[in-house]
């Protein structure tokens, strides 16, 4: 898979790319709704015997215009995680567009001419709620009028689970409140934090997330799997006000970079009464 970083300057170097079908979206989380878009785009690319390209963006629009209302926005993936998931969904090319104020100011027509026609697109596939151009007010259903027949436009309908829209906002909230099991069901894969581990004691590691902007679950302990270059290992991730730690007997102290796939919150732990304390059974949420 080829990964290409694009901005107003570098895009000029990619005018001779092969014809492609392009899947459009921010793809935060690469959840089951996104997967439906990618699957439809893959089918179209195969039918036309061209590569599948995916266009995503370096940051969410709200982060390009930080205000007191938007600075609490958190991502479901780092860019590296997102690119890896797009590859797992059979992308041949991933374009990561620098989303800055200059890009945010382009008109819908300019986006079509520069970032679609300019990249030799023969077909576009996007979710029903995809928007483009200045202000993000132009719907993908309007794209055909800007393409003027130079490529096809396929709109993928809303993807639901139990009559609930599968969307990044809902999944982000589920992770934030600790309902990781439900978030994983909507994602179609375990929610994962990327970062580095630092050995502290035998079987205990400090965990430093790769991005301070990736959504974390609330304080507590979670069953997890640790993915390293050497394989997958079971463990427990504990989040406190002091930071994140991982307990595992399997991880080698030589490992540094890991992806922590969070499976579910641990069951509540019963803390028994001890002499000298109040005669109650305390249940501490983990």
């Amino acid at each position: 898979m080829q990964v290409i970083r694009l901005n107003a300057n570098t895009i000029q170097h990619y005018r001779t790319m092969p014809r492609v079908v392009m899947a459009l979206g921010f793809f935060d989380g690469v959840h089951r709704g996104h997967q439906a878009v990618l699957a439809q785009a893959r089918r179209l690319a195969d039918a036309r015997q061209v590569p599948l390209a995916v266009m995503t963006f370096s940051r969410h629009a709200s982060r390009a215009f930080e205000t007191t209302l938007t600075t609490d926005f958190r991502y479901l993936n780092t860019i590296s995680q997102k690119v890896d998931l797009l590859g797992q969904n059979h992308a041949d090319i991933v374009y990561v567009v620098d989303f800055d104020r200059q890009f945010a100011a382009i008109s819908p027509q300019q986006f079509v001419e520069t970032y679609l026609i300019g990249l030799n697109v023969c077909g576009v596939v996007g979710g029903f709620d995809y928007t483009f151009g200045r202000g993000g007010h132009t719907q993908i259903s309007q794209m055909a009028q800007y393409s003027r027949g130079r490529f096809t436009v396929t709109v993928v309908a809303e993807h639901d689970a139990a009559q609930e829209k599968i969307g990044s906002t809902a999944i982000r909230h589920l992770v934030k409140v600790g309902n990781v099991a439900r978030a994983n069901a909507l994602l179609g894969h375990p929610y994962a934090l990327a970062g580095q581990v630092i050995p502290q004691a035998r079987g205990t590691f400090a965990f430093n997330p790769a991005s301070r902007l990736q959504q974390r679950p609330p304080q507590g302990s979670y069953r997890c799997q640790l993915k390293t270059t050497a394989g997958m290992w079971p463990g427990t991730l504990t989040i406190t006000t002091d930071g994140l730690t991982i307990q595992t007997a399997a991880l080698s102290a030589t490992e540094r970079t890991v992806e922590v796939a969070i499976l579910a919150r641990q069951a509540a732990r019963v803390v028994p009464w001890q002499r000298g304390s109040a005669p109650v059974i305390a249940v501490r949420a983990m």
Side-chain angles (χ1 to χ4, degrees), residues 84-157:
D84 182 60
L85 287 166
L86 293 173
Q88 292 178 38
N89 282 270
H90 312 296
D92 298 307
I93 304 168
V94 174
Y95 291 111
V96 181
V97 178
D98 289 338
F99 197 106
D100 53 20
R101 289 175 179 263
Q102 181 180 1
F103 177 80
I106 67 175
S107 69
Q109 191 67 58
Q110 186 180 356
F111 173 75
V112 168
E113 298 294 337
T114 303
Y115 288 88
L116 298 179
I117 298 298
L119 292 174
N120 209 11
V121 167
C122 65
V124 161
V125 180
F128 71 101
D129 55 354
Y130 182 82
T131 60
F132 62 100
R134 186 184 302 115
H137 300 308
T138 307
Q139 303 287 329
I140 191 171
S141 59
Q142 301 171 263
M143 188 173 281
Q145 71 188 63
Y146 295 98
S147 72
R148 296 193 292 274
R150 289 173 289 178
F151 56 79
T152 61
V153 179
T154 303
V155 180
V156 178

Side-chain angles (χ1 to χ4, degrees), residues 105 137 232 243 259:
H137 300 308
M232 300 284 288
E259 187 174 68

